[in-house]
Amino acid sequence: MARIPSAAVAATGLVGGYAVARWTKKRQLGGVVLAAAGAAAAQQWRTRAGGPAAGALSAAYVAAFAGSHPLAKKVGAWPAVFGVAGAVALASWAVADRRG
């Protein structure tokens, strides 16, 4: 089975969670997508980089989600979501995916 980089899983969770919430008009459904991808990414982070790194990246994932809201007021919703998803993906790659 092909290995999906944790950076892609995390970024997809942030973008996909927002997209599902926006297009279905059900924020809870977007939250399910966000949480499921976050849990999958956290498991990969723990396996590839260890517990402390997984904790830090999980905190970054949650902070990115929270930070996208005020950022959206300044730059717009989609640019904010893509920006924070890119930041989390870069951090994930640097900490967990780069070595593999």
Side-chain angles (χ1 to χ4, degrees):
M1 186 170 192
R3 180 178 151 196
I4 300 171
S6 62
V9 174
T12 300
L14 289 161
V15 173
Y18 175 68
V20 167
R22 181 173 176 133
W23 289 322
T24 65
K25 302 201 185 327
K26 296 184 192 286
R27 294 178 72 185
Q28 298 87 351
L29 192 55
V32 169
V33 171
L34 179 78
Q43 183 178 12
Q44 288 181 319
W45 294 329
R46 187 174 22 87
T47 300
R48 296 176 187 166
L57 288 168
S58 294
Y61 185 81
V62 172
F65 167 69
S68 68
H69 292 82
L71 183 60
K73 293 178 193 262
K74 295 180 187 269
V75 299
W78 281 112
V81 170
F82 285 128
V84 299
V88 168
L90 181 61
S92 180
W93 174 82
V95 173
D97 295 334
R98 177 175 53 165
R99 300 175 213 167

